[in-house]
Amino acid sequence: AAPYRKGQVLHSVFAAAEYKDEPFDIYFLAKKDVVENEIYQVYSSQSRIGWCIPINALGSDLHDYADHSHFLKYAYKAIEGALRYPDDSNIYRATAEIDHSGQINFLNLFHPYTVILVICRNTVTLENPFIFEHCIPSLVKNGYQPLTTKNPSQICHVGIPPQGSRLRLNSAAVGIENFDVILSILTSVIAYEGNAVFRFFYIYQIFELLIESILKLEQEEVIENLYQSKADPAKSREILKNLKDMTSEQERLRLLVTKYSNCAAEAQEIRRSCQSLTTSLGLKSGNSFEEFFYPIRNFLVHRLREFPEESVSQLEDVVLHTIDYVSKILSKFNAKPAS
């Protein structure tokens, strides 16, 4: 990145102080190797609800939005919110030194990987609500993590860069069982894990949690159906056979992406990535999710010692697109799908 001309944008930003009384919320994020030009307008559904601004962009005019009036409005709120943030104990702060003039540079208060998500409350509606925690999987797929007290330099996860100038957030569905555990896996474990095999095992734990929920839901449905068909032995046997099939992980993975999230049609990228790896490993693969994804899981569980070093980059690509696909599954998950 080019050297910063500190203060240029800050001066322009404070010309936007007319917005100081408008209601905004800020959220601290971290993104590995973020640069000042990675500025995105944030969209939820079809509505622009905010901006995602690297901390370095607030002290540089070497980016595309230095004179953008709408950006400056949000940049002002980002600086104001960062300086007024009430609790330093739950985010990572850099140790800023006072310079020869007795001043502290704003940028030196933060790690250079810090990013500020600024949301305008006036753009959030009951029909299009913004719940930060529910947007975390979508942020993670693009390489953003909630900023914690952990040093952002330790982040390993990079993510898939947003396309164009817009960062589109998909909110996870409400009521997903063990959602807090899923978020912890994404933000506290995978984010800081650099080994591709371990990253795959961790992301597969999210599928384990989801298909465990599916088993419970299917059992409830079986019990109800058995009660309704108690006078029909043939029908009861068929229902019990279906329950036996349900104990298969592959079957529950199939149900996850078809019946419970309806996103089988959105698996093109993860399919391409998985089939590339299964071909390299000499594994039989198919076109449905459970047919191209589960063989990789089985190979890593049962034949890890045979995994070739030259296939690590392919596995990393699989993990990247699996995180992307998990975000889609979570956003469309429905615990009560139509039969």
Side-chain angles (χ1 to χ4, degrees):
Y4 306 119
R5 285 188 274 166
K6 301 191 190 323
Q8 296 279 338
V9 171
L10 291 179
H11 177 76
S12 301
V13 162
F14 285 106
E18 62 191 272
Y19 301 108
K20 62 184 176 63
D21 295 325
E22 292 193 20
F24 288 77
D25 292 312
I26 72 162
Y27 303 89
F28 283 97
L29 307 174
K31 187 175 190 291
K32 182 178 175 64
D33 297 328
V34 69
V35 296
E36 69 266 29
N37 209 39
E38 291 184 66
I39 299 169
Y40 296 102
Q41 301 177 60
V42 178
Y43 276 72
S44 176
S45 296
Q46 299 302 313
S47 302
R48 180 172 62 185
I49 61 171
W51 287 66
C52 193
I53 307 172
I55 202 74
N56 289 337
L58 298 173
S60 167
D61 64 355
L62 301 177
H63 56 74
D64 298 339
Y65 294 96
D67 298 315
H68 191 290
S69 60
H70 197 260
F71 163 76
L72 294 175
K73 167 183 176 179
Y74 282 77
Y76 174 87
K77 301 305 293 190
I79 294 172
E80 178 188 61
L83 292 175
R84 291 182 175 180
Y85 192 69
D87 188 2
D88 280 356
S89 65
N90 61 5
I91 64 169
Y92 184 89
R93 291 274 202 183
T95 302
E97 297 182 359
I98 300 175
D99 63 21
H100 65 278
S101 63
Q103 298 179 335
I104 296 177
N105 190 303
F106 171 76
L107 298 185
N108 294 340
L109 295 170
F110 302 92
H111 190 282
Y113 290 179
T114 304
V115 179
I116 299 181
L117 175 64
V118 189
I119 302 297
C120 178
R121 291 183 207 162
N122 291 337
T123 63
V124 177
T125 63
L126 291 175
E127 296 75 25
N128 186 32
F130 176 80
I131 303 173
F132 177 67
E133 288 76 14
H134 286 201
C135 292
I136 288 175
S138 189
L139 287 164
V140 169
K141 81 170 186 180
N142 292 127
Y144 296 92
Q145 313 291 332
L147 182 65
T148 66
T149 55
K150 189 174 288 189
N151 190 330
S153 295
Q154 299 176 31
I155 293 175
C156 298
H157 178 62
V158 176
I160 301 172
Q163 296 295 311
S165 62
R166 297 179 177 183
L167 174 62
R168 297 189 178 276
L169 298 182
N170 297 316
S171 181
V174 175
I176 295 176
E177 189 176 9
N178 294 312
F179 186 65
D180 56 338
V181 180
I182 291 172
L183 290 188
S184 179
I185 292 171
L186 288 172
T187 62
S188 300
V189 182
I190 292 176
Y192 299 94
E193 177 57 62
N195 182 287
V197 173
F198 290 164
R199 281 164 61 81
F200 183 91
F201 284 146
Y202 290 137
I203 197 70
Y204 193 79
Q205 291 305 304
I206 294 177
F207 287 100
E208 292 272 13
L209 291 168
L210 292 172
I211 64 177
E212 181 180 340
S213 297
I214 286 175
L215 182 58
K216 294 177 184 177
L217 294 167
E218 291 290 320
Q219 285 174 332
E220 292 173 3
E221 185 176 324
V222 164
I223 292 170
E224 178 64 25
N225 290 339
L226 279 173
Y227 180 78
Q228 293 179 0
S229 61
K230 58 185 178 180
D232 186 344
K235 182 70 172 178
S236 295
R237 283 195 295 272
E238 180 184 350
I239 292 170
L240 290 172
K241 178 183 180 300
N242 291 337
L243 179 60
K244 181 180 178 181
D245 294 341
M246 201 58 54
T247 60
S248 161
E249 281 193 19
Q250 284 181 276
E251 174 61 14
R252 283 179 282 149
L253 285 173
R254 184 188 69 80
L255 287 174
L256 173 62
V257 302
T258 54
K259 179 179 177 180
Y260 286 92
S261 66
N262 192 29
C263 60
E266 300 176 51
Q268 298 93 331
E269 289 301 317
I270 188 173
R271 181 186 297 113
R272 175 199 57 77
S273 183
C274 287
Q275 289 181 341
S276 174
L277 179 56
T278 53
T279 298
S280 295
L281 297 175
L283 302 177
K284 183 179 178 181
S285 179
N287 288 321
S288 61
F289 177 71
E290 72 280 5
E291 291 173 339
F292 61 72
F293 186 72
Y294 199 71
I296 296 174
R297 176 264 182 202
N298 274 355
F299 187 97
L300 293 177
V301 169
H302 301 293
R303 299 170 57 190
L304 179 58
R305 64 188 179 278
E306 300 175 33
F307 190 82
E309 185 67 27
E310 59 269 22
S311 295
V312 169
S313 62
Q314 289 177 297
L315 181 58
E316 289 173 343
D317 192 59
V318 166
V319 171
L320 201 62
H321 287 99
T322 302
I323 293 172
D324 179 26
Y325 200 51
V326 162
S327 172
K328 294 173 182 176
I329 290 172
L330 294 175
S331 70
K332 301 180 71 175
F333 189 82
N334 181 4
K336 296 181 179 180
S339 301

